[in-house]
């Protein structure tokens, strides 16, 4: 098969969950003999085209500001990319064109290209935003975003959802169940097994973008409660984002500077796993999540997970309370209580750790790439 994956950012120049997912699947499909290309915003210097682990990546547009000053998606980057795509892909025949459904401009652009080039179009739904758009963009922009998201559900019958929750959301929008395939994100066990614990030891670790939806203020406010019982508590924060300065200001305001290490963006994924292995608990206080890679990686690295159970956070589909982690609300008292419970109870922590390692084995990227390949072939047979 000849496959085009269209995205805004491309690994390794952006190391987010969707970028890693695209790369892990693409490189495995290449090893199976398929011709895979990834198209997106050019975030690197030099030639517009490169080969990364056998995968051909293409920089279509050069507008690099993917997030605005408030840490929210900048609509110009995907819009410019989507306008250039038809010209860039003109005359290029692909069997499959895949794009993430959260990037609406790309959805409409790839729909047009698939019709012109007679390709099969596949959308990947990392999450369905729905009413969350109203909180994220405000009433006017949020209502427009909701309408556009609803419209994208009519563009293709081929939908991959990375969680059952996303699939159920599509069903509420009128998408038939037969047009939805749930295929989870995965973990690279060769990476996990090769990483050794870092010399730096932490109690808690967070990995992700420092933006509104990740809700790091909840973690900071929870730590402010915890330091009374754990005066030597250490927290590792890996990631960059527009909220960084505000978060550091809040930490200084509460006098918590000695408890937090902000390591910034760590592109070396093996190093990230090393930091996980030298920590006790993985924390994810997000308002909204699809199926983040970090929770499976954390379990595979031997960490129990503490995350929030909210209307827009799908991680509770993977994290089972008292099994491989603990679930909380968006309340700092509840969150800090769950952390305290695990820090004070090594026996429980080890139990959740063992369970997490076992559960994570079902999410190997090799098996998931096989599922993707089978799904693509089924789509082509329709």
């Amino acid at each position: 098969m000849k496959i085009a994956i269209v995205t805004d950012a491309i690994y390794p120049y952006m190391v987010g969950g969707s970028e890693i997912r695209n790369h892990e699947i693409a490189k495995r499909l290449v090893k199976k003999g398929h011709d895979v290309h990834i198209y997106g915003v050019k975030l690197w210097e030099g030639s517009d085209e490169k080969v990364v682990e056998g995968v051909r990546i293409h920089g279509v547009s050069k507008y690099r500001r993917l997030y605005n000053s408030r840490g929210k998606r900048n609509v110009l980057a995907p819009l410019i990319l989507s306008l250039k795509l038809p010209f860039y892909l003109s005359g290029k025949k692909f069997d499959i064109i895949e794009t993430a459904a959260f990037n609406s401009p790309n959805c409409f652009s790839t729909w047009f290209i698939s019709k012109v080039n007679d390709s099969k179009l596949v959308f990947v739904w990392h999450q369905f935003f729905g009413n969350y758009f109203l909180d994220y963009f405000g009433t006017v922009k949020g209502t427009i975003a909701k309408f556009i998201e609803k419209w994208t559900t009519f563009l293709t019958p081929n939908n991959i959802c990375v969680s059952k929750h996303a699939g159920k959301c599509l069903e509420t929008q009128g998408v038939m169940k037969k047009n939805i395939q749930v295929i989870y994100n995965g973990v690279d066990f060769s990476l996990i097994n090769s990483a050794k614990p870092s010399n730096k030891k932490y109690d808690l670790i967070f990995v992700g973008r420092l933006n509104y939806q990740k809700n790091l203020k909840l973690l900071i406010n929870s730590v402010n409660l915890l330091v009374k019982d754990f005066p030597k508590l250490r927290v590792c924060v890996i990631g960059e984002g527009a909220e960084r300065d505000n978060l550091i200001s809040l930490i200084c305001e509460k006098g918590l500077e000695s408890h937090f290490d902000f390591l910034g963006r760590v592109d070396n994924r093996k190093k990230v796993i090393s930091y996980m292995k030298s920590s006790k608990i993985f924390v994810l206080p997000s308002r909204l999540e699809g199926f983040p890679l970090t929770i499976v990686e954390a379990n595979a690295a031997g960490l129990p997970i503490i995350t929030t159970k909210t209307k827009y956070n799908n991680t509770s589909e993977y994290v089972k309370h008292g099994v491989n982690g603990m679930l909380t609300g968006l309340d700092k008292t509840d969150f800090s209580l769950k952390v305290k419970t695990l820090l004070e109870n090594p026996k429980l922590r080890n139990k959740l750790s063992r369970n997490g390692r076992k559960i994570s084995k079902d999410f190997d990227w090799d098996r998931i790439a096989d599922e993707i390949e089978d799904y693509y072939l089924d789509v082509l047979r329709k």
Side-chain angles (χ1 to χ4, degrees), residues 281-331:
I281 304 167
F282 183 84
V283 289
L284 189 66
S286 302
R287 293 182 174 90
L288 175 142
E289 287 289 351
F291 191 94
L293 305 182
T294 51
I295 57 173
V296 189
E297 290 176 338
N299 262 180
L303 275 68
I305 299 158
I306 294 179
T307 188
T308 55
K309 184 176 182 180
T310 71
K311 183 178 180 181
Y312 302 111
N313 188 343
N314 300 337
T315 52
S316 60
E317 191 171 312
Y318 174 83
V319 179
K320 302 303 179 186
H321 187 77
V323 179
N324 61 332
M326 302 190 86
L327 301 172
T328 85
L330 291 171
D331 175 70

Side-chain angles (χ1 to χ4, degrees), residues 185-189 191-193 195 203-208 238 269 272-284 291-307 315 318-319 324-326 349-361 363 365:
N185 289 329
V187 63
D188 183 349
F189 281 97
L191 176 69
I192 299 293
N193 295 333
D203 297 293
L204 311 178
I205 184 170
F206 165 87
V207 180
I238 296 177
R269 291 172 60 204
V272 173
I273 302 301
S274 293
Y275 283 119
M276 284 185 177
K277 286 187 173 183
S278 66
S279 304
K280 295 177 182 177
I281 304 167
F282 183 84
V283 289
L284 189 66
F291 191 94
L293 305 182
T294 51
I295 57 173
V296 189
E297 290 176 338
N299 262 180
L303 275 68
I305 299 158
I306 294 179
T307 188
T315 52
Y318 174 83
V319 179
N324 61 332
M326 302 190 86
R349 200 166 67 236
N350 291 336
K351 172 192 168 185
L352 302 188
S353 174
R354 289 193 301 272
N355 291 341
R357 281 196 178 99
K358 184 177 180 180
I359 291 170
S360 68
K361 292 184 185 299
F363 295 84
W365 275 126

Side-chain angles (χ1 to χ4, degrees), residues 155-167:
L155 297 181
T156 180
N158 310 310
N159 298 282
I160 294 175
C161 293
V162 303
S163 68
K164 291 178 182 177
H165 181 267

Side-chain angles (χ1 to χ4, degrees), residues 37 71 89 92 97 117 128 174 180 203 219 233 279 285 329 345 349:
H37 300 250
L89 295 180
K92 295 181 174 67
I97 299 176
N117 292 349
F128 187 86
I180 298 169
D203 297 293
L219 175 60
L233 185 72
S279 304
N345 194 334
R349 200 166 67 236

